[in-house]
Amino acid sequence: MNENIIHITENFVRDTLGEDSTGHDWHHIERVRKNALYIAKKEQAGDTFIIEMAALLHDIPDAKLNTSKEAGERNLSDFLQELEITEEASSSIKTITDLVSFKGGNNSRILSVEAKIVQDADRLDAIGAVGIARAFAYGGKKGQQIYDPGLEIRREMTEDEYRTGKSSSINHFYEKLLKLRDLMNTDTAKEMAEERHQIMEQYLHQFFKEWNGQA
Ligand code: ADP
Ligand code: NI
């Protein structure tokens, strides 16, 4: 029963996201799902059905993929309504996708264990080798520079500034990616984030060495 629902959801997500190249493609979703299920298993925590469903659906309401935030939320609600799941399951899934699609870093809301796990899984995919690739892919698509020494790096930003401000892909590391390790909720994700964080540090070190023309 649950397997069938997961299958229907997979197809819906694949069709909706299609070939998006801002970093919200189907492969991102698959990695987030894998990370989330891995964390859940390691931590022996959470309802795996809710975790898997929320991981699959977490980018559906994202404003970037819809004409508006409301349109994205409606798209998700309409889909969930068609499924044979309880009202409770549907509402847990919506709460998680809502949280995860809000990109503003810290939030003081009390999270369910399922939400913590999916949030960690999504954040893990923004860092490390894959995270580096995604940052430059996103920057290229948006027409932003690889790096702009004239642009101020803003470590503290509001959600609005983050969404609309001018940035460069290298700036994005300082504005967001290097902070994610310390924002992980679960011990498993903290551990997984460590190596990915180191790789970004090393990468930036080498980047600036080459940028400055040092051998
Ligand atoms: P996610 O899909 O992980 O929930 P986002 O929608 O914020 O996150 O971003 C999608 C991808 O694009 C992430 O890998 C993120 O790091 C990257 N990204 C977002 N904003 C920028 C930016 N201004 N410059 C470079 N990369 C960015
Ligand atoms: Ni995502």
Side-chain angles (χ1 to χ4, degrees), residues 9 13 19 21 28 39-40 61-62 83 96 115 143 150 155 161 167 182 194 196:
T9 306
V13 175
E19 297 289 303
S21 59
H28 164 64
I39 297 168
D62 196 300
L83 292 179
I96 302 174
R155 288 190 171 79
E161 286 172 330
S167 189
D182 297 330
E194 198 50 54
R196 296 174 193 222

Side-chain angles (χ1 to χ4, degrees), residues 173-191:
F173 285 82
Y174 298 93
E175 289 163 354
K176 180 173 179 189
L177 306 183
L178 291 171
K179 295 177 185 168
L180 294 177
R181 177 187 60 177
D182 297 330
L183 293 174
M184 296 297 167
N185 304 298
T186 63
D187 288 344
T188 306
K190 283 179 192 159
E191 214 174 286

